[in-house]
Amino acid sequence: MAQINPSILSADFARLAEEARAVEGADWLHVDVMDNHFVPNLTIGLPVVESLRKATDTPLDCHLMIEDPDRWAPAYAEAGAGSVTFHAEAAAAPVRLAREIRAKGARASLALRPATPIEPYEDLLPELDMVLIMTVEPGFGGQAFLDIMLPKIRRTRQLIDRHGLALWLQVDGGVSAATIERCAEAGADVFVAGSAVYGAEDPAAAVGALRDRAERAAARATSR
Ligand SMILES: O=C(CO)[C@H](O)[C@H](O)COP(=O)(O)O
Ligand SMILES: [Fe+2]
């Protein structure tokens, strides 16, 4: 079952509650936290996550593009995030961090920048609930999807399956009606979409259309 997570990075930050409710059929709301150190952009932090939690019933999928996630990530679970993603390149002790996030009741997820391979993290997979493969350089919405990430998505899906794990595989960056099928065929099952959802006239309808495309593509891939 394909999951679609609209990214509020492409929403109107002055009307976040309304924008969150505009995609209530979505599986998760993707919240991009940027600190202007790990990435060259600054967005939102803990107080906004706490407020969003009260403003919508859609679970929050927090993508932390920050330095020192070892210090900050567990607080996002406490603030009400149902899933907390930290970057492999920034975490000092990823196993301990994943365990802390899970101990606080959230799903723990590891993100990889485009140039970071999955293979060094193979032994960590049982400690995780999701892997996020970035399909753009993190930092900004609205960038073009990097096709060269498709082999990494495929290899990650193979590793997950080889270990018999129930991990979700998320793709983030440039996911749209034009690119989501390639991601689903490669083995992704959770799709972040910012501009493709909030740039659409009807964001809720865009979520449904993306989900249909992903599910059809996944069905085609498994019947091969
Ligand atoms: O993590 C991100 C950027 O670093 C965003 O989640 C992502 O870029 C979503 O926006 P779009 O779908 O427009 O690419
Ligand atoms: Fe993101």
Side-chain angles (χ1 to χ4, degrees):
M1 179 80 181
Q3 302 188 62
I4 307 295
N5 301 6
S7 166
I8 56 156
L9 187 59
S10 301
D12 179 351
F13 276 17
R15 298 186 299 112
L16 271 188
E18 211 180 301
E19 296 275 69
R21 284 192 285 266
V23 293
E24 232 142 46
D27 297 278
W28 296 77
L29 197 62
H30 185 82
V31 180
D32 288 305
V33 175
M34 304 186 188
D35 67 352
N36 197 33
H37 291 276
F38 183 72
V39 287
N41 197 3
L42 186 66
T43 55
I44 57 173
L46 281 168
V48 177
V49 171
E50 278 165 14
S51 296
L52 261 179
R53 177 60 292 137
K54 295 177 208 139
T56 175
D57 291 332
T58 308
L60 303 180
D61 164 35
C62 286
H63 175 194
L64 306 183
M65 284 159 278
I66 60 172
E67 286 184 358
D68 205 2
D70 302 72
R71 175 175 173 197
W72 293 106
Y76 283 84
E78 280 170 13
S83 176
V84 179
T85 299
F86 57 88
H87 267 266
E89 307 83 3
V95 173
R96 185 174 65 207
L97 184 51
R99 288 182 180 182
E100 275 182 49
I101 292 167
R102 283 176 152 183
K104 300 221 180 269
R107 296 174 63 87
S109 158
L110 182 80
L112 305 176
R113 297 183 82 124
T116 306
I118 182 65
E119 285 75 11
Y121 300 97
E122 179 174 353
D123 292 343
L124 257 72
L125 295 179
E127 302 286 339
L128 300 168
D129 298 295
M130 184 168 81
V131 172
L132 188 175
I133 307 285
M134 289 300 309
T135 41
V136 297
E137 285 295 347
F140 301 93
Q143 302 180 73
F145 179 81
L146 293 173
D147 264 306
I148 53 167
M149 291 298 110
L150 289 167
K152 183 158 83 176
I153 298 169
R154 255 180 240 115
R155 288 198 306 275
T156 306
R157 170 52 66 197
Q158 282 163 3
L159 282 182
I160 292 170
D161 292 350
R162 195 181 307 150
H163 287 270
L165 296 166
L167 275 180
W168 295 348
L169 180 50
Q170 183 177 74
V171 283
D172 183 11
V175 175
S176 67
T179 59
I180 196 166
E181 295 178 37
R182 277 173 269 165
C183 298
E185 280 165 9
D189 52 10
V190 185
F191 306 87
V192 176
S195 38
V197 169
Y198 281 107
E201 206 151 298
D202 182 344
V207 169
L210 286 169
R211 195 186 282 119
D212 286 351
R213 273 183 190 274
E215 287 189 350
R216 280 199 306 268
R220 274 199 309 273
T222 49
S223 70
R224 258 179 221 145

